[in-house]
Amino acid sequence: MGTALITGATSGIGLELAWQLATAGHRIVLVARDEERLETTASHLHAVTGSEVEVLAADLALVKGRKAVIERIEQEEHPVGLLVNNAGFGLGQQVVGGSMRREEQAIDVMIRAVLMLSKAAAEAMVPRGRGAILNVSSIAAQTAMGSYSAHKSWVRSFSEALASELAGSGVTVTALCPGLVRTGFHDAAGIDTSVWPAVGWIDVEKVAAEALRAVRRGQVLCTPSLRYKALTAALRVAPRALVRAVAGAERYARSV
Ligand SMILES: NC(=O)c1ccc[n+]([C@@H]2O[C@H](COP(=O)([O-])OP(=O)(O)OC[C@H]3O[C@@H](n4cnc5c(N)ncnc54)[C@H](OP(=O)(O)O)[C@@H]3O)[C@@H](O)[C@H]2O)c1
Protein backbone atom coordinates (compact mmCIF):
# COMPACT_ATOMS: atom_id res chain seq x y z
CA MET A 1 0.00 0.00 0.00
CA GLY A 2 1.32 3.46 -0.86
CA THR A 3 1.73 6.57 1.22
CA ALA A 4 -0.89 9.34 1.15
CA LEU A 5 0.06 12.86 2.19
CA ILE A 6 -2.98 14.97 3.11
CA THR A 7 -2.89 18.69 3.87
CA GLY A 8 -5.53 19.97 6.28
CA ALA A 9 -5.88 16.43 7.63
CA THR A 10 -6.95 17.20 11.20
CA SER A 11 -10.52 18.31 10.52
CA GLY A 12 -13.45 17.95 8.15
CA ILE A 13 -12.89 16.57 4.65
CA GLY A 14 -9.13 16.00 5.12
CA LEU A 15 -9.66 14.09 8.36
CA GLU A 16 -12.32 11.87 6.76
CA LEU A 17 -10.02 11.17 3.80
CA ALA A 18 -7.29 10.23 6.29
CA TRP A 19 -9.63 7.79 8.03
CA GLN A 20 -10.77 6.14 4.81
CA LEU A 21 -7.22 5.87 3.46
CA ALA A 22 -5.79 4.55 6.74
CA THR A 23 -8.63 2.02 6.96
CA ALA A 24 -7.69 0.86 3.45
CA GLY A 25 -4.15 0.22 4.74
CA HIS A 26 -2.28 3.25 3.42
CA ARG A 27 0.56 4.90 5.31
CA ILE A 28 -0.56 8.45 6.06
CA VAL A 29 1.28 11.78 6.37
CA LEU A 30 -0.92 14.31 8.16
CA VAL A 31 -0.21 18.00 7.49
CA ALA A 32 -1.75 20.94 9.39
CA ARG A 33 -0.61 23.75 11.72
CA ASP A 34 -1.85 22.66 15.16
CA GLU A 35 0.74 20.17 16.49
CA GLU A 36 -1.36 18.93 19.39
CA ARG A 37 -4.31 18.17 17.12
CA LEU A 38 -1.94 16.45 14.66
CA GLU A 39 -0.50 14.17 17.39
CA THR A 40 -3.95 13.30 18.78
CA THR A 41 -5.28 12.54 15.30
CA ALA A 42 -2.23 10.41 14.45
CA SER A 43 -2.39 8.27 17.59
CA HIS A 44 -6.15 7.74 17.19
CA LEU A 45 -5.78 6.76 13.51
CA HIS A 46 -2.92 4.37 14.27
CA ALA A 47 -4.66 2.79 17.26
CA VAL A 48 -7.86 2.09 15.32
CA THR A 49 -6.55 1.18 11.84
CA GLY A 50 -3.01 -0.08 12.59
CA SER A 51 -1.70 2.06 9.72
CA GLU A 52 1.58 3.96 10.09
CA VAL A 53 0.91 7.68 10.53
CA GLU A 54 3.47 10.49 10.25
CA VAL A 55 2.78 14.07 11.31
CA LEU A 56 4.16 17.19 9.68
CA ALA A 57 3.31 20.49 11.35
CA ALA A 58 3.44 23.15 8.65
CA ASP A 59 1.71 26.43 7.91
CA LEU A 60 1.13 26.44 4.15
CA ALA A 61 0.75 30.21 4.20
CA LEU A 62 4.49 30.40 5.00
CA VAL A 63 7.52 29.73 2.78
CA LYS A 64 9.08 27.43 5.40
CA GLY A 65 5.83 25.45 5.79
CA ARG A 66 5.54 24.81 2.05
CA LYS A 67 9.28 23.92 1.89
CA ALA A 68 8.90 21.32 4.67
CA VAL A 69 6.02 19.61 2.86
CA ILE A 70 7.88 19.64 -0.47
CA GLU A 71 10.89 18.02 1.24
CA ARG A 72 8.63 15.20 2.47
CA ILE A 73 7.14 14.81 -1.03
CA GLU A 74 10.66 14.51 -2.50
CA GLN A 75 11.76 11.91 0.09
CA GLU A 76 12.44 8.51 -1.46
CA GLU A 77 11.75 6.44 1.65
CA HIS A 78 8.00 5.71 1.81
CA PRO A 79 7.39 7.75 -1.37
CA VAL A 80 4.17 9.72 -1.56
CA GLY A 81 1.87 7.93 -4.01
CA LEU A 82 -1.16 10.13 -3.35
CA LEU A 83 -0.98 13.86 -2.62
CA VAL A 84 -4.17 15.48 -1.33
CA ASN A 85 -4.16 19.28 -1.47
CA ASN A 86 -7.08 19.85 0.85
CA ALA A 87 -6.05 22.59 3.34
CA GLY A 88 -8.17 25.69 2.92
CA PHE A 89 -10.39 28.16 4.67
CA GLY A 90 -13.23 30.56 4.05
CA LEU A 91 -12.14 34.19 4.12
CA GLY A 92 -15.26 35.35 5.97
CA GLN A 93 -14.97 38.81 4.48
CA GLN A 94 -15.77 40.78 1.37
CA VAL A 95 -12.97 42.11 -0.87
CA VAL A 96 -13.83 45.75 -0.17
CA GLY A 97 -13.01 46.57 3.43
CA GLY A 98 -11.53 43.12 4.12
CA SER A 99 -8.02 42.38 5.37
CA MET A 100 -5.40 42.25 2.57
CA ARG A 101 -3.28 39.94 4.73
CA ARG A 102 -6.12 37.40 4.82
CA GLU A 103 -6.52 37.65 1.03
CA GLU A 104 -2.80 36.93 0.63
CA GLN A 105 -2.91 33.99 3.08
CA ALA A 106 -5.81 32.54 1.08
CA ILE A 107 -3.77 32.77 -2.13
CA ASP A 108 -0.74 31.22 -0.38
CA VAL A 109 -2.69 28.27 1.06
CA MET A 110 -5.27 27.61 -1.67
CA ILE A 111 -3.26 28.55 -4.79
CA ARG A 112 0.51 28.88 -4.20
CA ALA A 113 0.76 25.74 -2.01
CA VAL A 114 -1.46 23.73 -4.38
CA LEU A 115 0.76 24.70 -7.33
CA MET A 116 4.07 24.06 -5.53
CA LEU A 117 3.05 20.75 -3.91
CA SER A 118 1.41 19.44 -7.10
CA LYS A 119 4.53 20.33 -9.12
CA ALA A 120 6.86 18.62 -6.63
CA ALA A 121 4.61 15.54 -6.46
CA ALA A 122 4.21 15.25 -10.24
CA GLU A 123 7.98 15.58 -10.74
CA ALA A 124 8.59 12.78 -8.20
CA MET A 125 5.77 10.55 -9.53
CA VAL A 126 6.31 10.77 -13.31
CA PRO A 127 9.71 8.95 -13.26
CA ARG A 128 8.04 6.18 -11.19
CA GLY A 129 5.24 5.98 -13.78
CA ARG A 130 2.48 6.11 -11.18
CA GLY A 131 0.83 8.35 -8.60
CA ALA A 132 -2.22 10.52 -8.01
CA ILE A 133 -2.96 14.08 -6.97
CA LEU A 134 -6.32 15.08 -5.49
CA ASN A 135 -6.96 18.83 -5.29
CA VAL A 136 -9.94 20.09 -3.30
CA SER A 137 -11.84 22.75 -5.24
CA SER A 138 -15.50 23.57 -4.54
CA ILE A 139 -18.88 24.08 -6.17
CA ALA A 140 -18.09 27.72 -5.31
CA ALA A 141 -15.74 27.66 -8.32
CA GLN A 142 -18.82 28.07 -10.51
CA THR A 143 -20.38 30.86 -8.44
CA ALA A 144 -19.37 34.46 -7.70
CA MET A 145 -18.98 34.52 -3.91
CA GLY A 146 -15.96 36.52 -2.80
CA SER A 147 -12.39 35.87 -3.92
CA TYR A 148 -12.85 32.29 -2.58
CA SER A 149 -14.83 31.49 -5.76
CA ALA A 150 -11.86 32.66 -7.83
CA HIS A 151 -9.37 30.59 -5.79
CA LYS A 152 -11.43 27.43 -6.16
CA SER A 153 -11.95 28.15 -9.85
CA TRP A 154 -8.15 28.31 -10.19
CA VAL A 155 -7.80 24.94 -8.41
CA ARG A 156 -10.28 23.27 -10.77
CA SER A 157 -8.79 24.81 -13.88
CA PHE A 158 -5.19 24.06 -12.83
CA SER A 159 -6.10 20.45 -12.01
CA GLU A 160 -7.64 19.96 -15.45
CA ALA A 161 -4.57 21.49 -17.11
CA LEU A 162 -2.15 19.32 -15.10
CA ALA A 163 -4.25 16.20 -15.73
CA SER A 164 -4.05 16.90 -19.43
CA GLU A 165 -0.27 17.56 -19.25
CA LEU A 166 0.24 14.25 -17.41
CA ALA A 167 -2.02 12.12 -19.62
CA GLY A 168 -0.30 8.82 -20.41
CA SER A 169 2.35 9.29 -17.69
CA GLY A 170 0.63 7.01 -15.16
CA VAL A 171 0.04 10.02 -12.87
CA THR A 172 -3.54 11.26 -12.52
CA VAL A 173 -5.00 14.52 -11.22
CA THR A 174 -8.50 14.88 -9.79
CA ALA A 175 -10.31 18.06 -8.74
CA LEU A 176 -12.91 17.48 -6.04
CA CYS A 177 -15.79 20.01 -6.17
CA PRO A 178 -17.97 19.46 -3.10
CA GLY A 179 -21.06 21.42 -2.16
CA LEU A 180 -21.84 22.32 1.45
CA VAL A 181 -20.26 19.96 4.00
CA ARG A 182 -20.59 20.35 7.79
CA THR A 183 -16.99 20.74 9.00
CA GLY A 184 -15.04 23.32 11.00
CA PHE A 185 -14.90 25.48 7.85
CA HIS A 186 -17.92 27.76 8.35
CA ASP A 187 -17.39 28.43 12.07
CA ALA A 188 -13.70 29.19 11.47
CA ALA A 189 -14.69 31.78 8.86
CA GLY A 190 -17.55 33.24 10.91
CA ILE A 191 -19.99 32.31 8.12
CA ASP A 192 -23.70 32.24 9.01
CA THR A 193 -24.85 28.92 7.53
CA SER A 194 -28.54 29.72 8.11
CA VAL A 195 -28.61 31.54 4.75
CA TRP A 196 -28.03 28.17 3.01
CA PRO A 197 -30.92 25.69 2.51
CA ALA A 198 -30.90 22.52 4.69
CA VAL A 199 -31.11 20.37 1.54
CA GLY A 200 -27.73 21.73 0.44
CA TRP A 201 -25.69 19.78 3.00
CA ILE A 202 -23.92 16.54 2.11
CA ASP A 203 -22.19 14.00 4.39
CA VAL A 204 -18.44 14.25 4.75
CA GLU A 205 -18.17 10.42 4.53
CA LYS A 206 -19.90 10.48 1.14
CA VAL A 207 -17.68 13.32 -0.11
CA ALA A 208 -14.48 11.46 0.84
CA ALA A 209 -15.68 8.10 -0.51
CA GLU A 210 -16.68 9.59 -3.87
CA ALA A 211 -13.39 11.49 -4.07
CA LEU A 212 -11.32 8.34 -3.49
CA ARG A 213 -13.42 6.40 -6.01
CA ALA A 214 -12.71 9.14 -8.57
CA VAL A 215 -8.97 8.96 -7.78
CA ARG A 216 -8.97 5.17 -8.26
CA ARG A 217 -10.67 5.61 -11.65
CA GLY A 218 -8.35 8.44 -12.69
CA GLN A 219 -11.39 10.72 -13.09
CA VAL A 220 -10.44 14.39 -13.54
CA LEU A 221 -13.52 16.13 -12.09
CA CYS A 222 -15.52 14.83 -9.15
CA THR A 223 -18.68 16.43 -7.78
CA PRO A 224 -20.11 14.27 -4.99
CA SER A 225 -23.90 13.60 -4.80
CA LEU A 226 -26.56 13.62 -7.48
CA ARG A 227 -27.93 16.91 -6.17
CA TYR A 228 -24.65 18.71 -6.77
CA LYS A 229 -24.02 16.94 -10.09
CA ALA A 230 -27.39 18.37 -11.23
CA LEU A 231 -26.53 21.81 -9.83
CA THR A 232 -23.16 21.74 -11.61
CA ALA A 233 -24.86 20.93 -14.91
CA ALA A 234 -27.36 23.76 -14.32
CA LEU A 235 -24.60 26.24 -13.43
CA ARG A 236 -22.75 25.32 -16.60
CA VAL A 237 -25.65 26.38 -18.84
CA ALA A 238 -27.27 29.12 -16.73
CA PRO A 239 -26.80 32.74 -17.82
CA ARG A 240 -24.00 34.17 -15.66
CA ALA A 241 -26.19 37.14 -14.71
CA LEU A 242 -28.61 34.66 -13.10
CA VAL A 243 -25.74 32.85 -11.31
CA ARG A 244 -24.46 36.17 -9.94
CA ALA A 245 -27.97 37.10 -8.75
CA VAL A 246 -28.58 33.77 -6.97
CA ALA A 247 -25.07 32.80 -5.83
CA GLY A 248 -23.16 36.03 -6.01
CA ALA A 249 -21.65 38.68 -3.80
CA GLU A 250 -24.99 39.84 -2.39
CA ARG A 251 -25.86 36.44 -0.90
CA TYR A 252 -22.27 36.01 0.28
CA ALA A 253 -22.43 39.39 2.03
CA ARG A 254 -25.45 38.18 4.02
CA SER A 255 -23.46 35.19 5.31
CA VAL A 256 -20.38 37.03 6.62
N1 LIG B 1 -16.91 22.54 4.21
C1 LIG B 1 -17.40 22.87 3.03
O1 LIG B 1 -18.61 23.16 2.89
C2 LIG B 1 -16.50 22.88 1.80
C3 LIG B 1 -17.11 22.88 0.55
C4 LIG B 1 -16.31 22.87 -0.58
C5 LIG B 1 -14.94 22.86 -0.48
N2 LIG B 1 -14.37 22.88 0.76
C6 LIG B 1 -12.90 22.85 0.81
O2 LIG B 1 -12.52 21.67 1.50
C7 LIG B 1 -11.22 21.84 2.07
C8 LIG B 1 -11.26 21.37 3.51
O3 LIG B 1 -12.16 22.19 4.24
P1 LIG B 1 -13.00 21.66 5.48
O4 LIG B 1 -14.40 22.02 5.20
O5 LIG B 1 -12.66 20.25 5.79
O6 LIG B 1 -12.45 22.68 6.59
P2 LIG B 1 -11.97 22.49 8.11
O7 LIG B 1 -12.79 21.48 8.83
O8 LIG B 1 -11.92 23.90 8.66
O9 LIG B 1 -10.47 21.92 7.97
C9 LIG B 1 -9.42 22.72 7.46
C10 LIG B 1 -8.10 21.97 7.64
O10 LIG B 1 -7.07 22.77 7.01
C11 LIG B 1 -6.01 23.02 7.95
N3 LIG B 1 -5.43 24.32 7.61
C12 LIG B 1 -6.05 25.54 7.57
N4 LIG B 1 -5.16 26.51 7.28
C13 LIG B 1 -3.97 25.90 7.11
C14 LIG B 1 -2.66 26.38 6.81
N5 LIG B 1 -2.39 27.69 6.68
N6 LIG B 1 -1.65 25.47 6.71
C15 LIG B 1 -1.88 24.16 6.88
N7 LIG B 1 -3.09 23.65 7.17
C16 LIG B 1 -4.12 24.52 7.30
C17 LIG B 1 -6.69 22.96 9.33
O11 LIG B 1 -5.80 22.63 10.40
P3 LIG B 1 -4.98 23.74 11.25
O12 LIG B 1 -5.97 24.81 11.60
O13 LIG B 1 -4.39 23.02 12.41
O14 LIG B 1 -3.91 24.24 10.33
C18 LIG B 1 -7.68 21.82 9.10
O15 LIG B 1 -7.02 20.57 9.25
C19 LIG B 1 -10.88 23.33 1.91
O16 LIG B 1 -9.99 23.49 0.81
C20 LIG B 1 -12.22 23.97 1.60
O17 LIG B 1 -12.06 25.15 0.85
C21 LIG B 1 -15.10 22.87 1.90
Side-chain angles (χ1 to χ4, degrees):
M1 288 285 180
T3 299
L5 184 149
I6 307 162
T7 70
T10 52
S11 172
I13 298 170
L15 178 60
E16 181 58 29
L17 286 165
W19 272 107
Q20 293 191 16
L21 286 161
T23 304
H26 292 271
R27 184 185 182 95
I28 307 291
V29 186
L30 304 171
V31 179
R33 289 167 301 180
D34 183 331
E35 285 192 46
E36 205 180 314
R37 201 155 61 143
L38 277 167
E39 291 295 348
T40 311
T41 306
S43 54
H44 197 187
L45 272 173
H46 177 66
V48 175
T49 68
S51 281
E52 294 304 319
V53 184
E54 300 173 36
V55 299
L56 207 175
D59 184 344
L60 294 169
L62 302 178
V63 172
K64 73 169 185 192
R66 294 189 292 271
K67 188 163 174 273
V69 182
I70 288 169
E71 277 169 9
R72 177 58 187 88
I73 289 169
E74 289 171 343
Q75 187 182 303
E76 282 177 20
E77 197 186 345
H78 299 300
V80 173
L82 170 63
L83 165 68
V84 183
N85 280 308
N86 163 77
F89 59 90
L91 283 85
Q93 64 179 24
Q94 292 185 273
V95 175
V96 176
S99 147
M100 192 58 214
R101 184 170 146 72
R102 193 152 175 82
E103 293 286 351
E104 283 170 348
Q105 283 171 338
I107 288 173
D108 286 341
V109 175
M110 292 187 276
I111 297 183
R112 196 183 303 276
V114 175
L115 169 64
M116 295 177 75
L117 273 51
S118 297
K119 185 175 188 306
E123 285 170 355
M125 290 168 180
V126 167
R128 295 199 291 267
R130 63 178 193 282
I133 298 169
L134 172 63
N135 292 330
V136 182
S137 174
S138 169
I139 193 84
Q142 288 173 272
T143 67
M145 293 185 289
S147 51
Y148 180 79
S149 285
H151 304 142
K152 292 302 184 181
S153 183
W154 183 90
V155 172
R156 198 184 55 167
S157 188
F158 169 70
S159 302
E160 285 198 88
L162 189 59
S164 139
E165 183 177 328
L166 296 177
S169 70
V171 180
T172 61
V173 184
T174 301
L176 172 66
C177 305
L180 291 167
V181 192
R182 287 200 197 280
T183 64
F185 180 91
H186 303 94
D187 277 353
I191 292 172
D192 174 9
T193 55
S194 67
V195 303
W196 309 110
V199 69
W201 297 93
I202 40 175
D203 289 340
V204 71
E205 293 84 359
K206 186 176 173 60
V207 171
E210 286 205 29
L212 295 179
R213 205 172 308 131
V215 169
R216 273 181 231 111
R217 289 180 185 148
Q219 199 177 309
V220 178
L221 294 173
C222 170
T223 302
S225 89
L226 272 178
R227 263 171 294 163
Y228 276 103
K229 281 184 179 67
L231 180 60
T232 299
L235 284 167
R236 209 175 293 133
V237 294
R240 292 307 293 175
L242 178 64
V243 174
R244 289 193 296 275
V246 176
E250 203 181 316
R251 178 180 274 263
Y252 182 66
R254 276 186 273 135
S255 73
V256 295

